[in-house]
Amino acid sequence: MRYLICALLPILLFSCKEKAVDQRPNILFIMSDDHAYQAISAYDTSLTQTPNIDRIATDGIKFTNACVTNSICAPSRAVILTGKHSHLNGKIDNRFPFDTTQVTFPQILQEAGYQTAMFGKLHFGNNPKGFDQFRILDDQGSYYAPDFFTAHEGKINIKGYTTDLITDMTIDWLENDRDETKPFLLMYLHKAPHREWFPAPRHQAEFTSKTFKEPETLFDTFETRGTAARTAEMNLVKHMNYAGDSKIYPEVMDALGIPEYMKWDKSAFQKEYNRMTEEERASWDKHYQPINEEFKKAYPNMNETDLMHWRYQRYMQDYFGCIAAVDEGVGRVLDYLDNNDLDDNTIVVYTSDQGFYLGEHGWFDKRFAYNESFKTPLLIKWPNVIKSGITNTQMVQNLDFAQTFLEAAGITPPKDMQGESLLPLFKGQSEGFRDAVYYHYYEYPSIHMVKRHYATVTEEYKLIHFYNDVDEWELYDRKKDPKEMNNVYDKADYADIVKDMKKKLIEIQKHYKDFERLKYSQP
């Protein structure tokens, strides 16, 4: 009998272990910073190829009307974590502190038995709640030799390229720290491709030699748009830094008599350059010194049009060079899931904290409710739940992530969360889903000088109200004018649409409890 028990013991223990495994889905949330939807080949193949990120779209669902509530880094992240609009979670801009009494969805998942980890860029605070393990970049972070705040080691510095390091940490956690009896929430958050766009050494040769297709609106003159578009400080020629952004060495700027546009122009370049190892600097100089030498010869004879062409190419080369490393990292993590039997029960999300201008309207950066800034990539796969290769056009927002993840985990979301679960859309059930979203940007006056505004957006129309120091309305027909070149607010044949959209705006402000702005929207 004793031998029989001994023989059966491993089987009994294995059986007990199997019963103890929590079968709720794992959640892998991948987010990059300022990754434009038009910079992912699942959306647009004219600029680059992102084969690994595209795998998520191929195996799951691609949202073509995903958007943000407030197109700026830290507020977007606060909305994602809390499931509340900025006016309720308190993080209205990058400067205003985050209210740490706010309950976030990782806290709820952790309390419900999920193992939780975050690696990469958070952008506010250095001690995020609800995580068993974290290593987060110090504020914006650096592309080379970054500093991290950690859960258990204090502040540390690690040599290497940041995108690769964040990927290494993510895979290391999956390999060595994951509790196999628990479902996990793993937030894999890239700094790239945030300004100032310093590519890894392995991508410098390829991307500095590329020529990118220019957008049709590169030389936009804003003839039908209002004060906000005409006065924003986001022009590639006038408002982009030469050292930090275009990688013109400070001494070359001095030799050519080019002044700093922002006081941190040269220091932004020097900060990254000085963090590089000797080998990394050698690679940088090998590829960027020839660019500087050619620019020194050409600059004295360049007019503003010439500079626009040149600066656009320099911007795109570095921006897409940074994305190449992100795509490789995503591929490594997806491969790990596939090779370790984690794919079938893991929800994988790829998104960005907002959209970004890639020369459209002559701009870089974000902030506006216009499409390139407002729309984000959103790709989600969940085998056995989401069919492969689906495209969805519903108006979904970063507001919806908290609600979706909690419901996927079988948890009833708190009543004060404002998002809508995407679970029905995963199954092709769109009836009763919202037909409009609400947007509100606050950070003015500030860098780039984009005026305060709010908007309501449907699949067909976008109504924007710029307020504070102006009082101007704009309406765009999203179907007929996808590049948003023509403000039709004052056109007689759109009068009924304006009336309907204003009514919708008032309803949505009431729904989301933005009562302070509601008074500006009354007829």
Side-chain angles (χ1 to χ4, degrees):
M1 184 68 179
R2 182 165 57 103
Y3 295 106
L4 180 60
I5 292 173
C6 291
L8 290 174
L9 187 58
I11 299 172
L12 292 170
L13 289 174
F14 180 79
S15 178
C16 291
K17 182 180 179 182
E18 285 294 295
K19 289 179 181 178
V21 172
D22 192 325
Q23 296 299 320
R24 289 177 294 175
N26 305 309
I27 301 164
L28 172 61
F29 183 75
I30 312 171
M31 185 167 72
S32 297
D33 194 312
D34 293 344
H35 194 172
Y37 68 90
Q38 64 272 34
I40 293 176
S41 49
Y43 288 94
D44 186 344
T45 59
S46 66
L47 290 171
T48 198
Q49 294 294 320
T50 51
N52 293 297
I53 296 170
D54 291 359
R55 287 164 58 182
I56 304 172
T58 300
D59 293 342
I61 186 168
K62 174 177 70 175
F63 289 91
T64 58
N65 266 315
C67 58
V68 294
T69 63
N70 184 356
S71 184
I72 189 167
C73 295
S76 174
R77 293 158 194 269
V79 169
I80 289 169
L81 289 171
T82 63
K84 301 176 190 174
H85 274 274
S86 299
H87 61 274
L88 291 187
N89 71 45
K91 185 65 176 165
I92 62 171
D93 57 31
N94 276 340
R95 299 167 296 183
F96 206 83
F98 178 65
D99 176 6
T100 56
T101 66
Q102 292 283 327
V103 175
T104 65
F105 80 83
Q107 289 176 266
I108 298 171
L109 287 175
Q110 185 187 50
E111 291 171 2
Y114 269 70
Q115 187 183 16
T116 57
M118 174 188 283
F119 301 104
K121 181 177 176 181
L122 175 60
H123 197 193
F124 57 84
N126 55 20
N127 189 26
K129 291 193 208 175
F131 291 96
D132 303 312
Q133 174 65 288
F134 63 82
R135 287 185 173 185
I136 56 174
L137 291 167
D138 183 4
D139 193 47
Q140 291 284 1
S142 302
Y143 274 102
Y144 285 85
D147 296 320
F148 288 90
F149 289 106
T150 71
H152 309 298
E153 307 158 88
K155 187 176 181 179
I156 61 173
N157 176 265
I158 307 178
K159 301 300 181 186
Y161 188 65
T162 297
T163 301
D164 299 339
L165 295 174
I166 293 169
T167 301
D168 292 343
M169 292 173 185
T170 299
I171 294 174
D172 181 72
W173 183 86
L174 285 166
E175 181 71 26
N176 298 307
D177 291 341
R178 184 172 63 89
D179 182 342
E180 295 184 9
T181 67
K182 292 182 176 182
F184 62 77
L185 165 69
L186 177 54
M187 301 191 79
Y188 168 41
L189 310 175
H190 283 295
K191 167 188 171 61
H194 191 279
R195 193 182 188 184
E196 279 83 13
W197 317 297
F198 277 70
R202 65 185 181 276
H203 295 129
Q204 291 163 7
E206 176 186 357
F207 283 87
T208 56
S209 64
K210 280 182 177 288
T211 299
F212 291 87
K213 177 185 176 183
E214 293 181 349
E216 294 176 14
T217 61
L218 183 63
F219 292 94
D220 191 355
T221 56
F222 310 107
E223 291 178 7
T224 73
R225 268 64 52 82
T227 305
R230 291 195 297 269
T231 59
E233 297 178 358
M234 304 196 307
N235 183 270
L236 296 178
V237 174
K238 299 175 182 177
H239 306 121
M240 195 175 252
N241 289 329
Y242 271 91
D245 294 333
S246 295
K247 313 307 186 299
I248 297 302
Y249 288 39
E251 58 270 24
V252 174
M253 286 179 62
D254 292 341
L256 293 172
I258 299 174
E260 291 184 288
Y261 172 65
M262 300 295 293
K263 62 182 180 181
W264 39 267
D265 180 359
K266 294 178 182 177
S267 64
F269 175 87
Q270 291 164 333
K271 181 193 77 169
E272 292 288 0
Y273 188 78
N274 292 337
R275 297 179 85 94
M276 296 178 188
T277 63
E278 185 176 340
E279 183 179 0
E280 289 165 344
R281 276 197 296 272
S283 174
W284 188 271
D285 290 340
K286 176 182 177 181
H287 298 103
Y288 285 85
Q289 279 185 347
I291 292 172
N292 276 256
E293 291 303 317
E294 291 175 8
F295 184 72
K296 280 172 67 175
K297 295 174 184 177
Y299 178 76
N301 298 311
M302 295 173 80
N303 59 31
E304 191 166 301
T305 300
D306 297 329
L307 282 170
M308 178 63 88
H309 293 306
W310 184 87
R311 300 204 76 177
Y312 171 76
Q313 295 300 331
R314 274 281 52 251
Y315 171 30
M316 292 296 93
Q317 289 166 356
D318 291 341
Y319 182 88
F320 283 105
C322 291
I323 287 173
V326 172
D327 188 67
E328 290 171 350
V330 169
R332 289 176 57 202
V333 174
L334 293 179
D335 287 346
Y336 185 91
L337 297 182
D338 290 343
N339 295 333
N340 290 274
D341 298 323
L342 288 169
D343 179 65
D344 282 351
N345 197 35
T346 300
I347 302 170
V348 178
V349 177
Y350 188 89
T351 191
S352 175
D353 54 352
Q354 61 261 320
F356 212 66
Y357 291 103
L358 304 183
E360 298 91 356
H361 312 293
W363 286 341
F364 67 108
D365 205 69
K366 56 255 185 182
R367 300 166 196 268
F368 274 111
Y370 303 139
N371 261 359
E372 293 83 3
S373 168
F374 169 75
K375 285 178 62 174
T376 59
L378 179 58
L379 311 172
I380 305 176
K381 75 183 188 80
W382 187 5
N384 305 315
V385 176
I386 301 175
K387 292 181 180 179
S388 60
I390 297 173
T391 297
N392 182 282
T393 64
Q394 304 293 138
M395 299 302 303
V396 303
Q397 284 192 298
N398 56 351
L399 185 71
D400 300 328
F401 291 132
Q403 196 95 357
T404 301
F405 296 150
L406 292 178
E407 291 195 12
I411 300 167
T412 301
K415 291 182 179 179
D416 61 349
M417 282 189 174
Q418 297 182 305
E420 293 197 27
S421 172
L422 303 181
L423 296 187
L425 302 185
F426 292 171
K427 302 171 184 177
Q429 302 164 3
S430 59
E431 187 175 349
F433 198 80
R434 71 161 77 90
D435 65 350
V437 294
Y438 184 54
Y439 178 89
H440 195 164
Y441 175 78
Y442 301 80
E443 193 171 292
Y444 176 87
S446 185
I447 184 172
H448 299 303
M449 298 301 284
V450 173
K451 294 187 181 297
R452 298 185 189 193
H453 59 290
Y454 53 84
T456 188
V457 187
T458 68
E459 290 188 44
E460 293 81 20
Y461 301 103
K462 179 180 294 178
L463 179 69
I464 307 173
H465 183 209
F466 294 93
Y467 72 98
N468 185 249
D469 63 329
V470 292
D471 180 11
E472 297 180 359
W473 292 84
E474 296 179 1
L475 178 73
Y476 295 94
D477 188 324
R478 300 184 72 210
K479 300 289 188 180
K480 295 180 180 178
D481 180 26
K483 292 182 174 61
E484 297 175 329
M485 297 293 287
N486 299 298
N487 171 22
V488 294
Y489 180 81
D490 291 322
K491 300 292 185 182
D493 48 347
Y494 281 90
D496 289 340
I497 300 297
V498 168
K499 187 182 298 183
D500 290 344
M501 288 297 288
K502 282 195 170 183
K503 180 181 178 183
K504 191 176 292 291
L505 174 63
I506 291 170
E507 291 172 350
I508 208 166
Q509 285 178 321
K510 290 178 180 176
H511 176 72
Y512 288 122
K513 300 180 172 61
D514 194 2
F515 300 121
E516 180 64 24
R517 296 281 71 80
L518 182 60
K519 62 187 178 185
Y520 291 91
S521 306
Q522 301 294 338

